[in-house]
Amino acid sequence: MPEDNPTENRPPTPYDPAAGNSAATNIAAPQHLPTPADATDLVADYRTHGFAARLGAGERLAVLVIDVCAAYLTDGSPLRAPVEDAVAATARLVARARETGVPVVFTRVSYRPGTADGGLFRRKVPALNAFEEGNPLAEFPADPAPRAGETVVSKHYASGFHGTALAATLTAQRVDTTLITGLTTSGCVRATATDALQHGFRPLVVADACGDRDPRLHEANLLDLDAKYADVIDLDTALTLLR
């Protein structure tokens, strides 16, 4: 019989930004994140009412790089955000994944000009026009960027799974755990993590490797993701899983 996964046998330790306790597999949470004044009460409330159990890592991982592109890094872009540190952390994780043979999958938003691609999402957020084909804001940065042979999933909506073959691609590679990185925490990262869970993949959201327009959005969504849909881990933890 196969051995039990040791990460599944450890007692649950929910993500608590106030206490510095984490995410997946009892590893310390990213301690550099500021803590909202009421975070301790909220975490305690989640724990009391049966939230924030641990999923842990499975047997085969993949790194998902969600929508890292020039639109978030270019001054004057309507989507500009202070995410340079998150992009650098993502690049480190991608490099480690390549060294260890772990699959890396990139997602990007892409719309054909003059079409109804994106539907109501694009109507709700006109800034998404930055992702029309041919717009340099839609391009990947120098690092991280996909290499030959790596999967790039083009999407119209927030989740990397919605209307795409991402689930089939991961299943074909026998992936059961996704290390989720990218932009933005409250948008496409959150949607992808939620859908990963709903498709049967263990979502591990790498806090340091995700970013948003405002740290308050980032922190609030990490806390809520960890309570309901994913394990939130820090970069050092993610790097140790890739070996």
Side-chain angles (χ1 to χ4, degrees):
M1 296 179 63
E3 295 181 358
D4 291 337
N5 183 343
T7 64
E8 293 184 346
N9 296 327
R10 298 175 182 173
T13 307
Y15 174 60
D16 184 348
N21 293 328
S22 163
T25 65
N26 282 346
I27 311 289
Q31 298 184 29
H32 63 281
L33 294 176
T35 303
D38 59 350
T40 301
D41 290 342
L42 182 55
V43 170
D45 180 74
Y46 275 140
R47 289 174 175 170
T48 299
H49 291 91
F51 291 79
R54 300 298 88 195
L55 299 172
E59 296 181 357
R60 183 158 174 79
L61 283 70
V63 173
L64 302 187
V65 182
I66 307 301
D67 300 356
V68 174
C69 64
Y72 298 105
L73 298 164
T74 303
D75 291 340
S77 165
L79 296 171
R80 181 70 164 100
V83 295
E84 285 83 358
D85 289 347
V87 171
T90 297
R92 285 187 60 193
L93 197 63
V94 168
R96 174 67 65 85
R98 288 168 174 162
E99 291 170 0
T100 56
V102 170
V104 180
V105 178
F106 290 78
T107 74
R108 67 185 307 167
V109 179
S110 181
Y111 302 125
R112 294 170 298 164
T115 70
D117 289 352
L120 294 177
F121 185 38
R122 200 170 169 192
R123 185 185 304 180
K124 179 66 177 177
V125 187
L128 293 173
N129 288 329
F131 296 126
E132 286 190 344
E133 293 175 1
N135 191 328
L137 292 177
E139 298 302 319
F140 294 105
D143 191 23
R147 290 182 177 176
E150 291 178 338
T151 298
V152 178
V153 174
S154 293
K155 62 190 181 75
H156 292 168
Y157 294 91
S159 170
F161 290 92
H162 182 77
T164 76
L166 177 56
T169 297
L170 295 175
T171 299
Q173 297 178 84
R174 299 163 69 178
V175 168
D176 60 11
T177 303
T178 54
L179 289 171
I180 300 175
T181 72
L183 311 170
T184 60
T185 313
S186 62
C188 296
V189 168
R190 182 186 178 99
T192 300
T194 303
D195 270 2
L197 180 78
Q198 294 171 162
H199 282 81
F201 303 101
R202 300 169 188 238
L204 308 184
V205 175
V206 185
D208 314 57
C210 299
D212 215 309
R213 297 176 70 89
D214 188 283
R216 293 169 295 184
L217 294 173
H218 176 72
E219 295 148 15
N221 278 274
L222 289 179
L223 190 151
D224 200 55
L225 278 167
D226 190 74
K228 300 173 183 174
Y229 306 112
D231 287 358
V232 176
I233 63 176
D234 61 18
L235 178 63
D236 287 341
T237 300
L239 290 170
T240 63
L241 291 172
L242 299 177
R243 57 187 178 187

